Amino acid sequence: MSGSGTVKILGISGSLRRASFNAATLRTAQELAPEGMTIDIFDITPIPLYNEDVRAQGFPPPVEDLRARIKAADGLLIVTPEYNYSIPGVLKNAIDWASRPPEQPFDGKPIGIMGASAGVMGTGRAQYHLRQCFVFLNGMVMNRPEVMIPAAQNKFDAGGKLTDQATKDFMVAHLTAFKAWVLRMRQPAT
Ligand SMILES: Cc1cc2nc3c(=O)[nH]c(=O)nc-3n(C[C@H](O)[C@H](O)[C@H](O)COP(=O)(O)O)c2cc1C
């Protein structure tokens, strides 16, 4: 964890697609992060499909890496697509792997959620499913402001740059509130 006043965030995109709007949103979040906040990105592509027989032999290296990076981060920023009104299987799979004992790393971890979709709901339904996953895991998901980006295909240029100023403004408001949320959740040093 980082020292007082600065926050180190681990960012995860729930899409593996090269031209993903959600991965592009995460990269935009890196650019828009307020002073004193850094966002590193973890790529979940190498995470294998969950198999309890495999886990019984030990966490595969990409899962170990994910767990260690979640533990080391002051907070998580998850940017998710909506698949069939829920979160993509690859994202749920990564969360399931990381959540296994011992010392599941989401416990008490501040979490911010954003999402971009082609539809008009801007991943709202997926985001509420994602929140539900963190109830049992005791993740400290920030309630608001929410960032739901509808019709994403109209808000990014061909190079994956976010061009919509209103969306940038929503993201800045979220990131600013998230920094305060992370600092508020920080346990006093013992
Ligand atoms: C399997 C699948 C299911 C989808 N379901 C939804 C959905 O429920 N709601 C929605 O708005 N878009 C849905 N879409 C469209 C996605 O919003 C769109 O593909 C988006 O670009 C995915 O995010 P990405 O660009 O980060 O990969 C779905 C796409 C796929 C591939």
Side-chain angles (χ1 to χ4, degrees), residues 15 17 19-23 81-85 116-119 125:
S15 173
R17 200 167 73 87
S20 160
F21 296 124
N22 287 278
E82 180 168 280
Y83 280 5
N84 299 316
Y85 287 16
S117 76
R125 294 161 295 216

Side-chain angles (χ1 to χ4, degrees), residues 6 9 12 54 57 84 119 137 144 151 157 161 169-170 186:
T6 62
I9 304 302
I12 294 174
V54 173
Q57 321 255 332
N84 299 316
L137 296 173
R144 61 185 168 85
D157 68 17
K161 282 271 169 214
D169 294 345
F170 284 129
R186 190 170 272 170

Side-chain angles (χ1 to χ4, degrees), residues 25 28-35 37 77 114 142 145-147 149 162 164-180:
T25 300
T28 306
Q30 283 182 307
E31 291 166 15
L32 297 178
E35 200 175 325
M37 173 188 275
L77 175 62
M114 299 183 185
M142 186 175 74
E146 298 174 310
V147 174
I149 307 173
L162 179 62
D164 186 66
Q165 187 57 46
T167 303
K168 284 186 192 173
D169 294 345
F170 284 129
M171 289 178 66
V172 167
H174 178 103
L175 292 165
T176 303
F178 188 48
K179 183 182 174 196

